[in-house]
Amino acid sequence: MEHTETLRPAGRRIRIGAALLGLLLLVLGTLFGQDDDFPFAPFRMYSTTDRLDAPVKSLRVEAVTVDGKRIVLTDSDTGLRRAEIEGQQERIKDDPALLDAVATAYHTRHPDRPRLTEVDIVVRLIQLRDGRPTGEWADTTTVRREVA
């Protein structure tokens, strides 16, 4: 014989309140939330589209060595993924000293290579026409940091 319990009124109110609170957070997150508010907000990178002629942004990290050579720092050069740098772009703009960690990571991985004197974040805007690259682009250095 099966035994079932009936939910008491207080328990019912708690469950209804929790469900309403969850629903309220979901609605507010959908209307006003950003990616950081997930799971109560949509990932906007997956829920929006750009015009076919809108330029595409491509971020890269560049550096200048003590011998004056400009190099592009790859993920394997520093152990830092480009997405990590992109995600912290505003913090880095506010505090360029955060780029010292990039130089330190590079020097740790490559102690035999020339030291870095500068680390830059460069954003390339690639022009599109009908969703295809036109071959035109423009680079902008958004953050520059001299490192020791």
Side-chain angles (χ1 to χ4, degrees), residues 34 75 100 104 128 136 138:
Q34 298 299 320
D75 298 0
D100 292 350
T104 299
L128 301 179
E136 297 176 30

Side-chain angles (χ1 to χ4, degrees), residues 61-63 71-81 101-111 113 116:
V61 179
E62 292 186 356
I71 60 173
V72 174
L73 297 179
T74 64
D75 298 0
S76 60
D77 286 333
T78 62
L80 300 168
R81 295 176 313 167
V102 174
T104 299
Y106 176 82
H107 294 142
T108 299
R109 283 180 167 238
H110 305 288
R113 292 189 187 168
L116 303 179

Side-chain angles (χ1 to χ4, degrees), residues 88-105:
Q88 299 299 318
Q89 221 175 158
E90 290 306 313
R91 283 187 60 217
I92 294 169
K93 283 181 184 176
D94 292 342
D95 184 8
L98 294 171
L99 288 176
D100 292 350
V102 174
T104 299

Side-chain angles (χ1 to χ4, degrees), residues 12-24:
R12 189 174 298 132
R13 284 191 296 274
I14 289 171
R15 287 185 181 188
I16 290 171
L20 289 174
L21 177 62
L23 184 61
L24 176 66

Side-chain angles (χ1 to χ4, degrees), residues 3-4 22-23 33 38 52 56 60 74 85 89 99 111 115 118 120 133 137 146 148:
H3 178 72
T4 59
L23 184 61
F38 184 81
L52 286 177
V56 174
R60 69 182 182 278
T74 64
I85 302 292
Q89 221 175 158
L99 288 176
R115 305 284 296 170
E118 181 180 296
D120 302 329
W137 48 267
E146 290 183 22

